[in-house]
Amino acid sequence: NNIRPDDIVVRPNPAHDFLTVTTPWLVTTTTTIVDASGVEIRPRTSASGNELTVNVEGLVSGTYFLLLVGEGGWARSRFVVP
């Protein structure tokens, strides 16, 4: 199942240090950060609940995608590091 992008809230965007991600899931969610070419930049991390904090500190300026996988499906959200 894909979760609609409108179901995921990623803020702030652009992000400097951390992203706060709100999802419709109330279970463990795995997050992965990939760059615009699809290369995994940050390894998978897991969190529980429907609000996650994702560290983006140290990423070079550019466009990235946050991949979220949970019991309810998966989603991809774009964010920018200025």
Side-chain angles (χ1 to χ4, degrees):
N1 281 344
N2 288 354
I3 302 299
R4 295 177 316 178
D6 294 344
D7 290 339
I8 307 295
V9 178
V10 177
R11 62 189 190 285
N13 193 4
H16 293 277
D17 298 320
F18 293 92
L19 289 171
T20 299
V21 181
T22 305
T23 74
W25 305 308
L26 296 174
V27 295
T28 301
T29 302
T30 302
T31 63
T32 305
I33 296 175
V34 298
D35 67 12
S37 64
V39 175
E40 187 176 301
I41 301 299
R42 291 276 166 94
R44 295 179 181 182
T45 58
S46 294
S48 294
N50 69 331
E51 189 167 283
L52 316 168
T53 300
V54 179
N55 183 352
V56 297
E57 188 175 25
L59 294 180
V60 297
S61 296
T63 300
Y64 296 89
F65 293 93
L66 182 65
L67 305 178
L68 302 158
V69 179
E71 194 172 283
W74 67 274
R76 177 179 67 186
S77 185
R78 181 184 150 283
F79 70 94
V80 174
V81 174

